[in-house]
Amino acid sequence: MLGWLCAAALVCAGDGIVSPALSWQRPQVTLTASATQTPPLPGILSAAMSRAITVPGGYPMSLTAVVGGRPVKASWTYVDGLPGLNSQLDSWLLGILDAAAAPSGARYRPAMALNAGNSQNAALSVSAEPVQASGTVVAVRQKVSETGSDGTRTVSSATIYADTVSGEVHRAAELLRPEAREGILAQATGVPASISGPLAQWPTLDDVVLTSSGDLQVTTERPAGRGQPGTEDTTTIASADTLATLSELGHKILHQLQAPAAPPPATAPALRHINCDLVPCAALSYDDGPDPKTTPRLLAILKEKNVQATFFMTGSNATAAPATARQVAEAGHAVGNHTFSHPYLTKLTPAAIRSEIDRTDAAIRTATGSAPSIMRPPYGAADAAVQSAVGKPLIIWAIDSLDWQSKNPAVFVPKVLKEITPGAVVLMHDIDATTIAGQQELITNLQAQGYRLVTVPQIFDGTPLLSGHVYRSRPERK
Ligand code: NI
């Protein structure tokens, strides 16, 4: 992949290269002392460095897909309260997946991650994990490893920095003065800049972890001719030598790494970021409750299966069973307004529609502490008059389980499994014991296919839900 080094034939010969003494100096940067402390010998330091760490608010994601005929694996970590970081990860991942799909003339679609098996030999492995969390900074290392059809392996990595206060995200290269780049790369690769050829042929300097003590951990791909291709080496440049290499932004971030920790604000589980253009999602929704007998049983199953769902409650049932309504909200599920008395809204006057909505909002607010921002008209019955009167987005469904009609899991579970597609909202009812009886099987099967089960706000994340508009499933990515 990198032909940039072999112009220096002497250096490319053989694996057992002794680290150059680095007696050379670049005009702006002096890198003498640390060269002997941390010779760029392969592999020894890399294992201990840039290791994924746990950060407050971090939650793991993973994906197995077949894209352009090749198995792909991805794993990454979102961080609550850092939308800039999370959306950067999304566009980075989608860019890689789109590029992988391009030879087949397609764009990546989440359906490619359904029933993809669990291939141990992914042709493309992608990861993005936090490697540094200190002060108000979270640094994430993004890595791509690809095995070509001829068996050659290439690897590339980059580090990005997110500020937990401002939310800003920067690439590692922005932390360094442009003129310091050559000197740092020379030290990281062990090849003096004087014999490395034109600057344009240097590898990118994208994977740099700045520690709170000011050290720089620089990761570069092993140069051609120096052992196993497709591996990376990490070199630490001690803080005494790095200060002169940092840009103004680099100094600012070093300062922030040393600041008192400021974890970003937590997000309610029902609203936690997930990108349903990337991951195949489905939103299970349960209407007509809460019911003090059946709803808690459903909550137990959802908890066991680690699923967030959406409950469209009637005001009358939220009034009758406020503790159950509260239990739903406290378990992190989304709650929607399903009117007070479950009428056909199309048969009511605008004032009567408003009353149904307002009384239900009040009942749910009394029980759970907040009023719903979404609603579902009973029977899915809505017309222009209803749409303008309800004052909320109308969430209908893409898949009707007809659970209330069959009252039989052997009927409605296969129906949903047959009709499900990524982005769909599924209608069920948490007041029927037979519905609850089918949930274990339904959820197990959906998850085995690769579906991530999310709330209605999550499945529409990135699509503004507008008052008076009707939604049934997530629109395809533009
Ligand atoms: Ni209903």
Side-chain angles (χ1 to χ4, degrees):
M1 182 184 173
L2 296 174
W4 57 275
L5 257 177
C6 282
L10 275 175
V11 179
C12 283
D15 288 357
I17 294 168
V18 177
S19 173
L22 298 194
S23 53
W24 52 273
Q25 291 186 0
R26 305 305 295 172
Q28 313 289 340
V29 189
T30 308
L31 295 172
T32 47
S34 63
T36 49
Q37 289 167 9
T38 55
L41 288 176
I44 298 167
L45 295 166
S46 24
M49 288 170 181
S50 305
R51 182 183 288 159
I53 58 162
T54 304
V55 299
Y59 52 104
M61 301 290 300
S62 65
L63 186 72
T64 305
V66 176
V67 184
R70 296 187 306 159
V72 176
K73 276 190 163 196
S75 61
W76 66 101
T77 295
Y78 289 131
V79 182
D80 247 1
L82 291 182
L85 173 66
N86 296 337
S87 66
Q88 199 279 353
L89 294 179
D90 289 337
S91 44
W92 175 73
L93 284 160
L94 283 167
I96 291 168
L97 293 167
D98 278 344
S104 62
R107 272 202 326 165
Y108 172 77
R109 289 176 298 111
M112 294 174 184
L114 289 175
N115 302 305
N118 192 21
S119 170
Q120 294 301 310
N121 301 311
L124 181 61
S125 294
V126 188
S127 68
E129 302 298 347
V131 289
Q132 168 81 312
S134 178
T136 64
V137 180
V138 174
V140 172
R141 186 162 188 255
Q142 302 173 318
K143 186 167 177 172
V144 181
S145 241
E146 189 159 13
T147 307
S149 49
D150 59 354
T152 55
R153 188 161 172 267
T154 56
V155 57
S156 65
S157 58
T159 322
I160 54 171
Y161 290 77
D163 187 313
T164 60
V165 176
S166 71
E168 279 176 38
V169 180
H170 295 282
R171 294 180 305 115
E174 297 175 62
L175 276 60
L176 304 169
R177 295 167 61 192
E179 61 272 28
R181 192 166 155 251
E182 269 184 88
I184 294 167
L185 278 168
Q187 182 166 359
T189 60
V191 180
S194 56
I195 58 167
S196 65
L199 189 64
Q201 291 178 22
W202 282 86
T204 54
L205 189 51
D206 290 325
D207 189 349
V208 178
V209 177
L210 178 62
T211 71
S212 57
S213 58
D215 294 345
L216 283 182
Q217 295 168 357
V218 181
T219 300
T220 49
E221 186 177 6
R222 183 84 51 86
R226 302 191 67 200
Q228 180 76 27
T231 52
E232 293 189 307
D233 296 321
T234 300
T235 304
T236 298
I237 299 174
S239 59
D241 293 320
T242 58
L243 291 178
T245 70
L246 295 179
S247 65
E248 201 174 312
L249 177 70
H251 280 283
K252 186 179 155 200
I253 287 182
L254 178 58
H255 189 70
Q256 290 167 336
L257 281 161
Q258 297 164 342
T267 307
L271 302 174
R272 263 192 161 177
H273 176 75
I274 180 168
N275 188 315
C276 296
D277 292 330
L278 194 52
V279 177
C281 296
L284 302 183
S285 66
Y286 301 96
D287 287 12
D288 298 357
D291 181 288
K293 283 202 192 74
T294 50
T295 305
R297 279 157 47 202
L298 174 59
L299 292 177
I301 296 168
L302 297 177
K303 186 178 180 190
E304 185 207 322
K305 295 291 190 183
N306 194 24
V307 168
Q308 300 301 140
T310 305
F311 290 75
F312 288 95
M313 298 180 181
T314 62
S316 56
N317 280 340
T319 302
T324 310
R326 190 165 57 248
Q327 207 183 335
V328 170
E330 283 177 352
H333 302 293
V335 176
N337 181 319
H338 195 43
T339 74
F340 199 90
S341 59
H342 209 270
Y344 278 94
L345 293 179
T346 44
K347 296 179 180 171
L348 301 187
T349 64
I353 294 170
R354 281 294 341 147
S355 165
E356 284 282 340
I357 299 298
D358 291 346
R359 288 161 67 209
T360 305
D361 275 354
I364 293 174
R365 189 190 293 109
T366 300
T368 69
S370 57
S373 59
I374 53 176
M375 72 83 59
R376 171 172 289 165
Y379 318 101
D383 55 19
V386 172
Q387 285 176 243
S388 70
V390 292
K392 296 182 195 291
L394 289 78
I395 312 296
I396 317 291
W397 52 83
I399 295 174
D400 188 350
S401 66
L402 297 177
D403 56 341
W404 59 272
Q405 198 175 67
S406 71
K407 297 203 181 295
N408 184 353
V411 175
F412 75 77
V413 171
K415 180 182 194 307
V416 174
L417 292 175
K418 182 164 172 261
E419 296 177 10
I420 193 88
T421 54
V425 176
V426 182
L427 169 64
M428 291 181 284
H429 299 83
D430 58 317
I431 52 167
D432 286 325
T434 48
T435 295
I436 312 301
Q439 295 309 300
Q440 189 91 24
E441 185 194 353
L442 177 67
I443 292 168
T444 301
N445 275 281
L446 289 171
Q447 290 179 330
Q449 287 182 28
Y451 278 98
R452 183 95 176 192
L453 301 175
V454 300
T455 63
V456 162
Q458 285 176 311
I459 212 163
F460 291 107
D461 188 14
T463 302
L465 293 178
L466 305 174
S467 177
H469 288 236
V470 172
Y471 301 88
R472 298 171 188 274
S473 59
R474 179 179 181 81
E476 280 223 17
R477 176 160 59 113
K478 290 201 184 83

